[in-house]
C-alpha cells in the first residue's frame, strides 16, 4: 500500500497504522530515503456492445468519454491523499493513462511515478477507479434498462499490476 512500513515488509502481526494503544496513526516515513517509485494499476468496465460502439464513434451525448475519463483519472491521482485517510501527500512526477476498447469492455491502465519516501500504488488505484467511474457516468443513459438499472454494466478486476522501487542516484 502507499504507506510502506519502515522496511517495506509487513507481517500479519505488524499493524503499521495503529500505535501501541490502538490509536490510528499515519506511518512516519520521515527517516526513509527518497526513492524513485512507479506503480501501475488496471481495471475494466463492462458495457453493452452498442455503448462501446458509441464510445468508439465519439457519439455519446455527454461528450468524449475517454478524454473526460482521462482527466478524471489524473485528478484522482493528484488528490488521493485527500480521500484515503492514511495516505501521505506525495509529489506526483508523472501520470500515464491508457485505454483499450474491446467489444464488450474498456480497460483503463494508470501508471503513476514519484520520487519520495512512500509508494504510489494507492494513487494508481484511485486513478483507475475514478477513471472507470467517469466512463460509467458518461454512458449511464445508454446503459440503463427500462427499470433504470444497469444489468450489463460492471467495473471489475481493479488491481495493481506493477510496482517498482529503486534508489535515487545522486
Amino acid at each position: 500500500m502507499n504507506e510502506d512500513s519502515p522496511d517495506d515488509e509487513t507481517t500479519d502481526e505488524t499493524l503499521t497504522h495503529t500505535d501501541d494503544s490502538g490509536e490510528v496513526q499515519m506511518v512516519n516515513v520521515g527517516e526513509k530515503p527518497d526513492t524513485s517509485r512507479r506503480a501501475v494499476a488496471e481495471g475494466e468496465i463492462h458495457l453493452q456492445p452498442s455503448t462501446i460502439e458509441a464510445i468508439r464513434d465519439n457519439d455519446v451525448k455527454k461528450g468524449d468519454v475517454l478524454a473526460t475519463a482521462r482527466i478524471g483519472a489524473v485528478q484522482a491521482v493528484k488528490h488521493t491523499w485527500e480521500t484515503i485517510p492514511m495516505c501521505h501527500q506525495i509529489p506526483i512526477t508523472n501520470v500515464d493513462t491508457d485505454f483499450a476498447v474491446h467489444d464488450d469492455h474498456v480497460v483503463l491502465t494508470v501508471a503513476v511515478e514519484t520520487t519520495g519516501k512512500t509508494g504510489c500504488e494507492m494513487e494508481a488505484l484511485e486513478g483507475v477507479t475514478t477513471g472507470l467511474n467517469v466512463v460509467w457516468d458518461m454512458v449511464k443513459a445508454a446503459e440503463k434498462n427500462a427499470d433504470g438499472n444497469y444489468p450489463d454494466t460492471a467495473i471489475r478486476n481493479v488491481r495493481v499490476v506493477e510496482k517498482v522501487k529503486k534508489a535515487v542516484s545522486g
Side-chain angles (χ1 to χ4, degrees):
M1 297 193 64
N2 181 305
E3 311 314 323
D4 297 332
S5 65
D7 62 1
D8 284 337
E9 299 281 332
T10 57
T11 65
D12 290 339
E13 296 84 37
T14 306
L15 298 177
T16 61
H17 289 84
T18 58
D19 64 17
D20 291 338
S21 66
E23 295 295 319
V24 175
Q25 66 179 9
M26 253 178 117
V27 172
N28 182 351
V29 297
E31 299 298 317
K32 292 176 68 176
D34 284 345
T35 56
S36 175
R37 298 163 184 265
R38 173 182 166 86
V40 181
E42 183 175 276
E44 57 197 44
I45 183 166
H46 291 258
L47 303 166
Q48 298 173 56
S50 58
T51 304
I52 295 288
E53 186 176 330
I55 291 170
R56 282 190 176 127
D57 295 343
N58 198 20
D59 192 27
V60 174
K61 287 183 181 182
K62 283 191 173 184
D64 188 328
V65 173
L66 301 184
T68 306
R70 187 180 317 278
I71 292 166
V74 172
Q75 284 182 321
V77 166
K78 292 168 34 177
H79 291 278
T80 300
W81 66 278
E82 295 174 315
T83 58
I84 304 291
M86 297 302 160
C87 281
H88 292 91
Q89 184 176 7
I90 63 173
I92 304 297
T93 57
N94 190 43
V95 179
D96 286 321
T97 58
D98 183 60
F99 291 93
V101 181
H102 300 274
D103 291 340
D104 65 347
H105 67 284
V106 175
V107 176
L108 171 56
T109 304
V110 176
V112 178
E113 296 175 10
T114 187
T115 300
K117 300 176 183 307
T118 189
C120 51
E121 299 93 315
M122 296 312 299
E123 286 75 7
L125 288 165
E126 283 283 289
V128 167
T129 56
T130 297
L132 294 174
N133 281 334
V134 170
V135 170
W136 192 318
D137 180 58
M138 295 289 289
V139 303
K140 66 185 176 185
E143 286 291 296
K144 281 184 191 177
N145 68 10
D147 297 325
N149 292 309
Y150 305 96
D152 301 313
T153 314
I155 293 173
R156 296 186 179 132
N157 299 321
V158 175
R159 63 205 176 279
V160 174
V161 295
E162 177 185 327
K163 178 183 172 183
V164 177
K165 174 182 161 185
K166 50 189 165 178
V168 175
S169 56

